[in-house]
Amino acid sequence: LLNDDIYHNGKIMCLENEDINDIPSFGTAISKINREVMLKAEGGQTTAVIAKLNGDKLLFASVGDSRLYLEHDGEVKQITKDDAVTDEMLDRAEIHDERERKNYRDHGISKALGMFAGDRISRGNLGEISVESGDRIVLCSDGVTGDIPEDQMSNEEISKILAEFSSDEDAAENLVRKSKKIDDRTAIVVTIEGKAEEKEEVKDLLIGDEVYG
């Protein structure tokens, strides 16, 4: 979907010279990527999750149902919120509980890069969290975590895989291998080591199939 003009050698080309160091600049980054996708991807759409370590804070942005997870003291928590049709219906009280959400016929996403023009795509799923040495972060596509109830991988399952594999690359590979879907499986795992302020940035657009951290 994303050609070399957009994403090349692990870099998002339109962000190569950008100074992304706060939440507003992440919103701007998402808008720029969205504009590039609309101009150059010939009608294609994709989800995305981006993260950057800034001192002891992890800045993040996502579109669609690619996700960011944090493991702290052995507990895994989903940080991003999916841009999902059913989640938005829950927020508007059009459906009322988890059972109705799981039974609803449409489990699609409400946002993706290339879906809308302008800044609408960048609103919402932006933020920052505190991180410590030893924490692990997981960035992954819906091919790993599942986009319908019967395919979904729980936080506990992710935690078990992370506990089993201390190598970030092995953990990412096994998140992909143990997913219940067979396509669009992308995972990156990063361990925070030493003082957080000494770490370099982590910045990735998640696309493709069977990409490991």
Side-chain angles (χ1 to χ4, degrees):
L1 172 62
L2 301 189
N3 57 42
D4 285 351
D5 290 335
I6 303 174
Y7 185 75
H8 183 63
N9 288 338
K11 295 181 179 180
I12 306 166
M13 303 308 292
C14 66
L15 302 184
E16 199 167 15
N17 299 314
E18 292 294 316
D19 184 19
I20 302 173
N21 53 24
D22 56 23
I23 293 173
S25 62
F26 257 72
T28 300
I30 287 289
S31 293
K32 286 189 174 184
I33 299 168
N34 183 61
R35 186 162 53 248
E36 290 292 290
V37 171
M38 296 199 74
L39 288 173
K40 299 175 181 178
E42 300 179 352
Q45 299 176 3
T46 186
T47 64
V49 60
I50 307 174
K52 180 184 178 181
L53 196 60
N54 187 25
D56 61 354
K57 303 293 185 182
L58 186 75
L59 298 163
F60 65 85
S62 70
V63 179
D65 53 5
S66 286
R67 294 178 178 177
L68 169 69
Y69 291 87
L70 172 71
E71 182 201 45
H72 177 74
D73 288 341
E75 181 178 353
V76 169
K77 180 180 179 181
Q78 181 181 337
I79 302 302
T80 52
K81 182 179 179 181
D82 295 347
D83 292 312
V85 171
T86 51
D87 287 349
E88 293 188 358
M89 292 180 70
L90 271 172
D91 291 342
R92 296 192 299 266
E94 294 174 10
I95 54 178
H96 302 94
D97 55 32
E98 185 66 14
R99 180 186 60 81
E100 286 187 19
R101 188 186 73 82
K102 287 183 177 180
N103 290 335
Y104 192 73
R105 65 185 180 279
D106 184 356
H107 291 279
I109 57 175
S110 57
K111 287 183 185 178
L113 295 177
M115 185 179 287
F116 303 113
D119 293 334
R120 177 182 174 186
I121 203 71
S122 66
R123 299 173 193 158
N125 220 344
L126 306 164
E128 66 177 16
I129 55 172
S130 297
V131 292
E132 300 177 3
S133 178
D135 288 351
R136 300 177 87 181
I137 59 173
V138 177
L139 301 97
C140 61
S141 66
D142 71 287
V144 172
T145 54
D147 54 2
I148 57 175
E150 53 264 34
D151 287 341
Q152 289 176 352
M153 181 181 291
S154 67
N155 290 5
E156 291 74 19
E157 290 173 296
I158 294 172
S159 181
K160 183 177 179 181
I161 292 170
L162 294 178
E164 185 176 354
F165 298 96
S166 58
S167 160
D168 290 341
E169 183 174 357
D170 289 345
E173 181 175 349
N174 278 275
L175 283 168
V176 167
R177 295 197 185 284
K178 295 182 180 182
S179 63
K180 297 171 186 176
K181 292 186 68 177
I182 59 172
D183 64 346
D184 184 29
R185 300 180 300 173
T186 305
I188 296 171
V189 178
V190 178
T191 299
I192 307 299
E193 297 178 348
K195 293 183 179 180
E197 58 267 25
E198 296 176 354
K199 293 291 290 182
E200 295 181 354
E201 68 178 60
V202 179
K203 182 169 61 179
D204 283 286
L205 178 70
L206 296 186
I207 57 171
D209 186 22
E210 306 210 9
V211 178
Y212 313 136

